[in-house]
Amino acid sequence: MTTLVIGGAGYIGSHVVRLLSDRGERVIVVDDLSTGLRARVEGSDLVELVELDVTRPDAAEKLAFQLRASGADAVIHFAAHKQVGQSVAKPELYWHDNIGGLANVLAACANAEVRDVVFSSSAAVYGVPDVDLVTEDLTPAPINPYGATKYVGEWMLADAERAHGMRTVALRYFNVAGAGHPELADTAVMNLVPIVLDALDRGEQPRVFGDDYDTPDGTCIRDYVHAEDLAEAHVAALDYLRGEDRPHRVFNVGTGTGSSVLEVLDAIARATGTEITPEIAPRRPGDPARLVCSTDRIEETLGWRATHDLDEIVTSAVQARRLA
Ligand code: UFG
């Protein structure tokens, strides 16, 4: 079996590429290396890198050629912009690249008669849900262009299913952190764990955006999932698509357990052996107080559940940073 992984040199994509090649599958990585790193996908005879920007006008044709030439039977599509703030400032970039890129990918799949597609969606589709545990049945209500492009992407998958008989899965990621292998670590400093580690390395104290939320310690609660667990969820989704029955196309990927910002800082203090005295800053606009998912559907349908807890997530991120 051969899988074409678009954005496979990225942080999460490369974890999936590693799992697939480790189980003996051939992988064609398509990546424009704008944020992806060649080093993440080197070293295996089963992995080939094709440099290609899937948002270009000729991308659908080039992708269809790659699909046919490689005999790929499935596509996993990661390549997209993912910064909420940037999406508010430059929505056209997100419409063009996130939606346009997916349109090219789906057109190529239709053309090359590849049916199985796994798509990176996000908990950002839910917006600011006022529930303890977010289930997939909750009606999405994104509050920024990033989340909107992910929700539109899910509609596009459904349209492609109806028009071309495709079989698709959208995985709604919650807060991803940690590294399964040090060389695959998140090198961007955009999310809480890397931001805090970066601040500590510079001898600065991290900032907590608001401690007056209606949560036990006043700080925001999120569902942190290890990149290695998330990668396993993609492999489970691929196996599901390759099987017979397929009742769902959307799954939350998280642990079902919430951790507050202060709990994450405590875990980082333990892992680094550093004392952390955070600065309490004002609330960040658009932050829900709590965003934790129900994992019932993915556990029951894909047989997947996370196996790493917050301490393991943070320890793996700290170790990867030390070895970088
Ligand atoms: N936070 C701080 N200080 C910081 C950085 C973050 O207190 O320096 C807090 C945030 O306010 C939030 C929590 O840490 O409460 C997590 O923040 P992140 O920016 O790491 O993650 P978000 O929950 O805001 O966003 C993540 C992904 C998005 C995705 C969203 C879905 O980064 O891509 O989950 O809800 F859209």
Side-chain angles (χ1 to χ4, degrees), residues 30-303:
V30 171
D31 203 300
D32 67 358
L33 300 181
S34 58
T35 55
L37 303 174
R38 186 184 297 275
R40 289 195 180 121
V41 292
E42 281 175 339
S44 167
D45 291 345
L46 290 168
V47 180
E48 180 191 333
L49 172 65
V50 175
E51 278 187 63
L52 175 64
D53 175 355
V54 298
T55 70
R56 307 283 298 185
D58 59 356
E61 206 182 311
K62 288 187 168 168
L63 275 173
F65 172 80
Q66 290 297 336
L67 287 167
R68 287 185 192 280
S70 62
D73 66 313
V75 168
I76 310 180
H77 179 47
F78 292 98
H81 301 291
K82 57 172 185 178
Q83 297 182 49
V84 170
Q86 181 189 48
S87 80
V88 175
K90 293 185 184 174
E92 51 288 334
L93 178 71
Y94 282 68
W95 305 330
H96 184 273
D97 290 359
N98 289 10
I99 296 176
L102 177 61
N104 286 335
V105 170
L106 294 175
C109 290
N111 179 325
E113 294 175 11
V114 170
R115 288 198 315 166
D116 297 351
V117 177
V118 179
F119 171 65
S120 305
S121 188
S122 168
V125 301
Y126 293 116
V128 193
D130 188 17
V131 292
D132 259 7
L133 288 180
V134 177
T135 63
E136 293 86 345
D137 295 327
L138 201 75
T139 304
I143 58 161
N144 53 60
Y146 168 66
T149 61
K150 290 297 178 184
Y151 192 31
V152 170
E154 294 184 4
W155 291 342
M156 292 164 69
L157 299 182
D159 291 343
E161 293 204 352
R162 280 187 290 270
H164 305 299
M166 282 185 192
R167 298 148 55 97
T168 68
V169 161
L171 297 177
R172 293 177 175 166
Y173 308 168
F174 280 65
N175 288 63
V176 190
H181 304 271
E183 68 276 19
L184 306 185
D186 189 4
T187 49
V189 183
M190 292 187 322
N191 292 108
L192 180 62
V193 173
I195 287 174
V196 173
L197 294 179
D198 192 62
L200 295 176
D201 277 356
R202 285 184 285 107
E204 293 172 12
Q205 287 301 323
R207 285 185 304 162
V208 172
F209 296 138
D211 68 349
D212 56 352
Y213 285 95
D214 184 16
T215 60
D217 68 18
T219 67
C220 287
I221 294 177
R222 295 288 181 275
D223 187 331
Y224 294 89
V225 57
H226 196 300
E228 185 76 5
D229 282 327
L230 175 60
E232 297 274 8
H234 289 76
V235 174
L238 261 190
D239 291 344
Y240 171 70
L241 288 176
R242 286 167 171 159
E244 290 296 314
D245 295 333
R246 206 189 47 90
H248 297 294
R249 74 157 74 88
V250 175
F251 297 94
N252 289 336
V253 192
T255 62
T257 301
S259 304
S260 72
V261 176
L262 290 180
E263 285 170 338
V264 173
L265 295 187
D266 282 346
I268 293 176
R270 281 193 295 277
T272 56
T274 323
E275 202 172 311
I276 299 180
T277 319
E279 176 198 327
I280 306 301
R283 288 183 177 197
R284 196 174 64 171
D287 265 344
R290 178 184 164 89
L291 197 59
V292 180
C293 73
S294 160
T295 56
D296 289 352
R297 180 183 285 184
I298 193 165
E299 284 185 23
E300 282 161 20
T301 318
L302 301 191

